[in-house]
Amino acid sequence: MEQTWLSEAYKGPVPNGFQGRVGWASPSNIALVKYWGKRGKQIPQNPSISFTLSECRSETFIGFEKADRFGFRFFFDGQENPAFGAKIEKFLTDYQAFFPFVNQLSLTVESRNTFPHSSGIASSASSMSAFVMGLMEIERLLVGPSTLRRAQGSGTLDLCKASYFSRLASGSASRSVFPKMALWGATPYYEGSSDEYAISLENDLHPIFKTYRDAILIVSGETKSVSSRAGHALMEGNPYATARYAQAKENIKNLLATLKSGDLDTFIKITESEALQLHALMMCSEPSFILMKPNTLNLINRIQAFREETKIPLCFTLDAGPNVHLLYPDSEAEKAEGFIKEELVKYCDKGRWIADRVGDGPKKLL
Ligand code: PMV
């Protein structure tokens, strides 16, 4: 596919007067089987599967104008943000073979997140995928609808291609472009899966997973002490790495079957084990690090005890941080929310939590 996308790239001149503004919203996602460890250019050491979220999104607008040479400014929440802008600029420079037209444009990017500032929720998946969707939209305007229809069938943006570019910008972003659930990484247990881009699992899901809920319990909104980039790198020397990658591959096989059958006991077992394995890997890296906080453990204990007492099938997962994602079927929403308000908010930073759910992927805003 890489060759196809390289040869498809718009290499012609940008016409005089070419200018405008595009806008895309793209969601965050939460992995069930985790991506932790990579090689080469963001190639995952094991496949991963995630729920695409709905409420936690980035909304990104790109103003573009024909220019003699490349120009770039990045604003976050209305303020110029050179640090984040530098990441996007680096992505554009590293992969300019895919977007040669960018060199003839001046871009002004304005981005915001729908989730609160400093909630500790990773925003690179949503922001990078939203940016990529916008960039592809600009290319689409240059290529023109007729060529595009031939190249991309339906005339909508090619989501595998969007996933491929999003992966190059930020690994987990590759999964955000698909509705409901996505699989990123080659596995013999799913035809068409690839290390280079994610694919949709929407057509292989038991209905219960299409409306799943994710209550994000904010234990701390502080910036992480160790970035995911550093965490991935530490997997290279991790003595358990080989065993971990084998275990993740096995979990992918079993989770794929479970997502089809709707067997929640197995779903819960795999999901919670994956969350704890991710943090165990951090604790046995060299140097080791701990991203959980005391209230992360308090929440985990309380969630597991509540499930035992009530038989309500809710479970937790964790991202690379202290916050806890409480996952439950839509049909249990009332009971789960009662439980959150009565028993869990006391462990949250200023009582904060975000009621999220499985979502439909990126949306065009302009
Ligand atoms: O996409 P990155 O490089 O920020 O890595 C994400 C890693 C985890 O969020 C911990 C797991 C995952 O699969 O999303």
Side-chain angles (χ1 to χ4, degrees), residues 29 33 94 108 132 146 159 166 186 195 214 217 219 223 236 255 268 280 291 327 339 359 362:
N29 67 74
V33 173
D94 288 353
T108 304
V132 163
S146 58
L159 292 184
S166 300
D195 279 346
D214 177 9
L217 307 164
V219 170
T223 315
E236 277 164 37
L255 186 63
I268 290 170
L291 295 185
L327 304 174
F339 169 52

Side-chain angles (χ1 to χ4, degrees), residues 209-238:
F209 295 116
K210 296 188 181 177
T211 55
Y212 233 68
R213 303 272 193 137
D214 177 9
I216 309 170
L217 307 164
I218 313 293
V219 170
S220 165
E222 284 168 25
T223 315
K224 293 182 282 192
S225 52
V226 179
S227 68
S228 331
R229 176 192 290 259
H232 285 292
L234 286 174
M235 280 305 283
E236 277 164 37
N238 191 305

Side-chain angles (χ1 to χ4, degrees), residues 116-127:
H117 247 329
S118 68
S119 54
I121 298 172
S123 59
S124 66
S126 53
S127 56

Side-chain angles (χ1 to χ4, degrees), residues 29-36 38 42 48-50 122 124-125 170-173 175 184 224 228-229 232 278 282 318-321:
N29 67 74
I30 179 70
L32 302 173
V33 173
K34 311 291 183 181
Y35 149 60
W36 198 242
K38 59 180 168 182
Q42 311 262 82
S48 55
I49 287 180
S50 57
S124 66
S170 164
S172 58
R175 298 185 309 240
W184 169 40
K224 293 182 282 192
S228 331
R229 176 192 290 259
H232 285 292
L278 171 69
M282 297 172 190
L318 307 168
D319 209 345

Side-chain angles (χ1 to χ4, degrees), residues 4-15:
T4 317
W5 291 325
L6 270 174
S7 63
E8 257 181 24
Y10 180 81
K11 299 181 193 74
V14 170

